[in-house]
Amino acid sequence: MTDAILEVQGLSKFFGAVAASDSLTFQVERGCCHALIGPNGAGKSTAIAQITGEVRPDGGSIRFNGREISRWPVHRRARAGLNRSYQITSIFPAFSALDTVALAVLARQPHAFRFWRDARRDERLRRSARSFLDRVGLGDRADVRAGDLAHGEQRQLEVAMVLATNPQLVLLDEPMAGMGRAETQQMLDILRPLKGSLSLLLVEHDMDVVFALADVVTVLVKGRVIASGTPSSIRADADVRRAYLGDGA
Amino acid sequence: MRRRSVVLAAGLALLLAVPPLAAIAGEPFAVTLASRVLIYALAAASLDFIVGYGGMVSFGHAAFLGLGAYTVGIVASHAFDGTAVPLLPFAWHGTDSALIQWPLAMLISALFALVIGALSLRTAGVYFIMITLAFAQMLYHLFLTLPTYGGQDGLNLWRRSEIPGLDLADDVSFYYLTLALLIISLLILKRLVHSRFGMVLRAGKQNEPRLQALGIPTVRYKLLAFVIAGAFGGLAGALTVNHTEFVGPGLLHWTRSGELLVIVILGGLGSLYGSVVGAAVLLILEEVIAGWTEHWMIVLGPFLVLVVLFARRGLYGWLAGREAEGD
Ligand SMILES: Nc1ncnc2c1ncn2[C@@H]1O[C@H](COP(=O)(O)OP(=O)(O)OP(=O)(O)O)[C@@H](O)[C@H]1O
Ligand SMILES: [Mg+2]
């Protein structure tokens, strides 16, 4: 008996003649790290955007914890426990790192209609935000403007933001994009302990990262699943080698 | 901390000193001009709240100024005639009391802001600019063609509003009351900006899609900010009609909305206090240059361009330095 946190069924999305999702079907098991791989333009980011609600699918269904969510607005899905990071860093550049995460902490409260107290002196908010900054190794960068952080630090900040929303399923769109070796290793150390308590859907080009984290790998080409299975079976799959990994893999 | 505090303290001292200085100089008109500056500063600050912090570039803010002014004008005209205010389920013959007139002006402006905002906030960017402009022009034409309340001739206010213990017919008393209301309004808006609500508002300006992805339904926050801005715009309107003892449709014209945006940009977007600097500079320049030539815009235009190019955080940012960023 499987326990899927996310079930994507027959999802389709066309941009003109380009099929970004073509009867896309897969599911993410609870507590697992599920990797989505595929060549550039395969439709990985578009799949994520449809799951979070930022892109409206042409058809198909998305079930989260057994409930059909494909018509819910973005914020409702996020509140239900579905949160994401972006392939292209997406932050609040004028906020300090701490304020950025405080905002994410605030986002999981029932509402932010509080008008009087200074949010910068709100200890509950700040303490919680600080703990997430510490978790991603940005504890000593709390007061730096997010826009002034180094690229790798901004990626870490994004992860801190996502974790602060108290998610059940985290969608990570190339969290290591543009990172050096050491930063990639650091990010791996941040992500690895999340497995189990959280479910992860990971889009990543770096195969070392995929094979280090993933329990299941799904390979996407032109919006379609061409293979799905354990990392070792995917590594051995001839179609996948031809379509994606290249002969040297 | 230092430089910003000095600038603010100096500004406040200057504003407090206007009436005595005008009396010494034998220029009572200066108090009238200064009152006008304060009222425009209030209207511009309420606009800055949504443009500078919320990223909602409204090109129709004069509508709220006008609605507030007409509310007071209409209520006062019924009190003067002894006739009943139409469209009410009960007979009410208006009032001269500021304590009723002014909150009512804020309420009416806020209600219109709720409707206009709810319809406009479905759009963003240039569409938002256009649709707010369109709503304001609609209201402008409504008052222009409404003969009951003066139509294009506007409405005279025969008596300034009444406040117990104050004589608003006295220009100096009126000036100090306006100053007090401006300061209170600025402090309230400042408080809001730094609250949780304000944090969401400021985040939405920077990256609204990301804010939604975090789980925040952004539109309702923006709408509330729009309503708050409308209410304070309405208060500025209530003051304007008392100041000039007249309200006409010109107060809602799009050029007025443009003027408010110019004040906000001149003073510094997202600073609130900048609105006071912007209003002072714009209105005083207008007054001075209009004395030399009727084509005052020809002089003012290049000046604006210079400010935008060289003082990117506006005149207030230029005065108060880096510390102004925390505003
Ligand atoms: N908004 C859009 N309008 C038109 N075409 C789009 C849009 N978004 C994506 N596409 C197209 O859909 C296809 C899938 O894009 P997507 O970004 O999902 O790929 P990806 O697998 O994430 O690629 P990458 O590895 O480069 O990030 C591409 O051909 C892309 O050009
Ligand atoms: Mg992508």
Side-chain angles (χ1 to χ4, degrees), chain B residues 10-232:
Chain B
L12 179 62
L14 187 66
L15 290 175
L16 286 169
V18 166
L21 289 179
I24 294 167
E27 295 271 6
F29 174 70
V31 178
T32 306
L33 176 61
S35 296
R36 199 166 122 82
V37 166
L38 298 184
I39 294 168
Y40 271 77
L42 175 55
S46 67
L47 179 59
D48 189 24
F49 183 63
I50 51 173
V51 180
Y53 296 98
M56 293 170 262
V57 184
S58 165
F59 209 134
H61 205 61
F64 307 118
L65 195 70
L67 284 164
Y70 266 106
T71 301
V72 172
I74 289 170
V75 165
S77 79
H78 285 285
F80 187 75
D81 298 345
T83 51
V85 180
L87 301 177
L88 289 181
F90 49 90
W92 183 48
H93 298 271
T95 175
D96 283 325
S97 167
L99 299 180
I100 298 171
Q101 282 180 348
W102 299 5
L104 192 64
M106 293 179 79
L107 183 70
I108 297 286
S109 288
L111 284 176
F112 274 86
L114 183 66
V115 174
I116 294 175
L119 295 169
S120 309
L121 285 171
R122 296 157 180 268
T123 65
V126 76
Y127 299 101
F128 183 77
I129 297 178
M130 298 307 286
I131 196 165
T132 48
L133 173 66
F135 276 119
Q137 284 300 96
M138 257 165 60
L139 287 168
Y140 164 74
H141 283 284
L142 176 74
F143 284 110
L144 194 65
T145 51
L146 199 68
T148 333
Y149 298 113
Q152 60 182 351
D153 296 332
L155 203 57
N156 283 311
L157 187 74
W158 300 108
R159 285 192 293 257
R160 280 188 177 176
S161 305
E162 285 167 0
I163 288 189
L166 269 181
D167 178 16
L168 293 192
D170 170 42
D171 285 336
V172 171
S173 305
F174 182 76
Y175 174 83
Y176 281 119
L177 179 67
T178 305
L179 180 59
L181 287 174
L182 171 66
I183 291 171
I184 293 169
S185 305
L186 286 176
L187 293 178
I188 291 175
L189 291 173
K190 193 108 275 188
R191 209 66 221 204
L192 291 176
V193 161
H194 291 298
S195 69
R196 289 186 177 202
F197 171 75
M199 198 165 171
V200 167
L201 188 66
R202 286 177 287 136
K205 183 194 178 193
Q206 297 172 62
N207 193 345
E208 191 174 350
R210 189 74 184 90
L211 192 57
Q212 289 181 346
L214 284 175
I216 295 187
T218 53
V219 174
R220 56 189 82 159
Y221 291 88
K222 289 167 77 175
L223 181 57
L224 180 59
F226 197 81
V227 168
I228 292 170
F232 281 99

Side-chain angles (χ1 to χ4, degrees), chain A residues 5-85:
Chain A
I5 186 164
L6 180 76
E7 298 157 88
V8 173
Q9 189 108 53
L11 204 62
S12 67
K13 178 72 196 176
F14 287 83
F15 294 110
V18 178
S21 300
D22 190 356
S23 310
L24 180 60
T25 299
F26 66 93
Q27 56 184 48
V28 178
E29 302 300 318
R30 195 179 303 279
C32 280
C33 174
H34 190 127
L36 205 55
I37 67 171
N40 289 114
K44 307 179 296 290
S45 296
T46 307
I48 288 195
Q50 291 173 92
I51 295 167
T52 58
E54 293 158 295
V55 167
R56 191 171 286 278
D58 297 335
S61 97
I62 304 167
R63 297 173 79 81
F64 179 63
N65 281 327
R67 294 161 82 187
E68 176 63 46
I69 60 165
S70 56
R71 300 201 157 271
W72 291 12
V74 174
H75 59 83
R76 185 165 171 209
R77 300 185 204 201
R79 277 172 181 276
L82 209 154
N83 227 302
R84 70 166 296 179
S85 74

Side-chain angles (χ1 to χ4, degrees), chain A residues 39-46 87 173-174 203 205:
Chain A
N40 289 114
K44 307 179 296 290
S45 296
T46 307
Q87 181 171 359
D173 197 351
E174 303 196 22
V203 171
H205 277 298

